[in-house]
Amino acid sequence: MVNRTSFGLNAAQRQSLVISLTAFFTSLLLIALVSVLILISFRGTAYFWPEPIYKVTGKEENGDTFSVLANIFDASSKGDITLKYSDASNPFGSQKLLAREHLLSSQLAKEAAEIKLLDGRRVLAIPEHIVVPSKPAQSLDNIDDVMKNVAQISAQIEELNTRHLAPIHEALSQFDKRNVVNDAPAREKLVASFNEYQKRVEALEVTRAQYTLLVSFADSTPFIIPISSIQDVDYVSRLSTFEKWQVVFSEIGVFLTDSPKQANTSGGVFPALFGTVLMVFLMTIIVTPFGVLAAIYLSEYAPNTALTTIIRVSVSNMAGVPSIVYGVFGLGFFVYTLGGSIDELFFSDSLPAPTMGSPGVFWAALTMAILTLPVVIVATEEGLRRVPDGLKAGSYALGATKIETIVRTVLPIASPGIMTGVILAIARAAGEVAPLMLVGAVKFAPTLPIDGEFPYLHLDRQFMHLGVLIYDGAFHSQTDGKSASMMFAACLLLLVVVFILNILAVVLRARLRKRYLKG
């Protein structure tokens, strides 16, 4: 007679039911994960795809008609459509919702172009001709040559500012600090040089301002755009599929190498990408040795007592502490207490302006190291437990000390487990936002933590982070489809960064496993 449970199922049927339920929920989880990735990928890549420009004629709520050049979003058969347009009153772009019954006509405007400006703004207009000083109106075919000439003038202005005006201004500031009188010969000589270079800069700026592009909107209203402010001119409505892909790759290049603009709703994400990778790299350097040393102590040296058990339970519980708590701890202890003490000891001349006593990339990396330390300790300790006792005994039998056994035998074999902890730490640190906003990450940082000035790596500087950029973008793009696409593009980039960092760690772990565990 077959034994059955109270549900009328035997052991084989219960096992089959458990397997089926496990497979079902696993499938649901995978479907949800794939759906999220598809949504992020679709919305993120839409940021780079050029949208065609239409000449739209519609009717306002008061009955007045209007005509604009616009990108059309959310164009479904029912409901409102979104117009992102340019006109005489909003030359640099605005948007509006238009009821479908108020849409009178929409025609593809092949003569219109998307004019991208260096400050991140965009103008949808019809280019008419180029204005060049002391010459007749130029054809639009010469726009590339004209932009090169303007770029050369801008380079001359930049060179005069950086090589001449900036040093003179710094020297005059030093004279002010030393209370040098205004009629001192050295000061008068510097002032004369400053005025001379300033006149040259002003003359170049006047010449540069005479290079303009004349455009018109849908109602034929003219508008003048300085050539020096133009980044690119694309006739998006004329582009073939191949040309659109060229624009996409160009936009991706700008996205990865440029700085955010227009309140983080346009431009690129290079400072945030650089800051994320730098912070994760510093965090990994800090957390790995401390996590490994703590795991070695707990596994090899700590006696099996109640205190050791409490320590292990506390380490495990630290992984469940909300990340914002670590941020508050980092702000209170690392920034204000430790950083303030460092300022008093080494940077007293700069006080009351803080140097290390303010949020910065080093305190952010240290805070994230504390946050991810339990993960590294637990994974490393698990790897140490898997080392066979026979290997340790053999090492001791050959005359090795405990330290030599740990360094030369135990750690190499446990290295794949250590790399597992590092992988988990990288994945968590790269995606955290809340603690970083308290200890160093900001919406916009004008300078990178690394530059050409000594000491080259400036640990006291604030930095940008992809997670903070995404968080900030979510509040600026609730009604703007293009800006929302930039937020999704940043999400996609963050996933790619985490994936690449994890792949590098997995490859290293596989090599270590192959080297030390091949037998």
Side-chain angles (χ1 to χ4, degrees), residues 328-345 354 356-359 363 366 439:
V328 173
F329 171 79
L331 180 64
F333 179 73
F334 291 141
V335 178
Y336 293 151
T337 303
L338 188 58
S341 300
I342 292 175
D343 282 348
E344 292 178 358
L345 291 174
M356 297 301 296
S358 62
W363 302 130
L366 199 56
V439 291

Side-chain angles (χ1 to χ4, degrees), residues 427-496:
R428 183 172 185 186
E432 284 292 348
V433 175
L436 295 178
M437 295 179 67
L438 296 177
V439 291
V442 293
K443 294 189 294 184
F444 181 74
T447 55
L448 296 176
I450 294 179
D451 57 22
E453 298 180 3
F454 184 83
Y456 310 118
L457 175 59
H458 303 274
L459 297 176
D460 59 311
R461 287 185 183 175
Q462 295 180 325
F463 68 104
M464 295 186 67
H465 187 273
L466 282 173
V468 177
L469 184 72
I470 295 167
Y471 170 79
D472 181 63
F475 289 95
H476 289 91
S477 59
Q478 296 179 4
T479 59
D480 190 338
K482 194 72 173 179
S483 300
S485 296
M486 181 181 178
M487 180 187 66
F488 280 102
C491 288
L492 182 60
L493 179 60
L494 180 59
L495 292 177
V496 171

Side-chain angles (χ1 to χ4, degrees), residues 201-232:
V201 169
E202 291 175 354
L204 289 172
E205 289 177 344
V206 170
T207 302
R208 185 179 62 177
Q210 294 176 0
Y211 289 85
T212 59
L213 173 65
L214 179 66
V215 300
S216 62
F217 297 109
D219 57 358
S220 300
T221 303
F223 184 70
I224 297 176
I225 303 176
I227 296 291
S228 59
S229 66
I230 297 176
Q231 176 180 329
D232 203 357

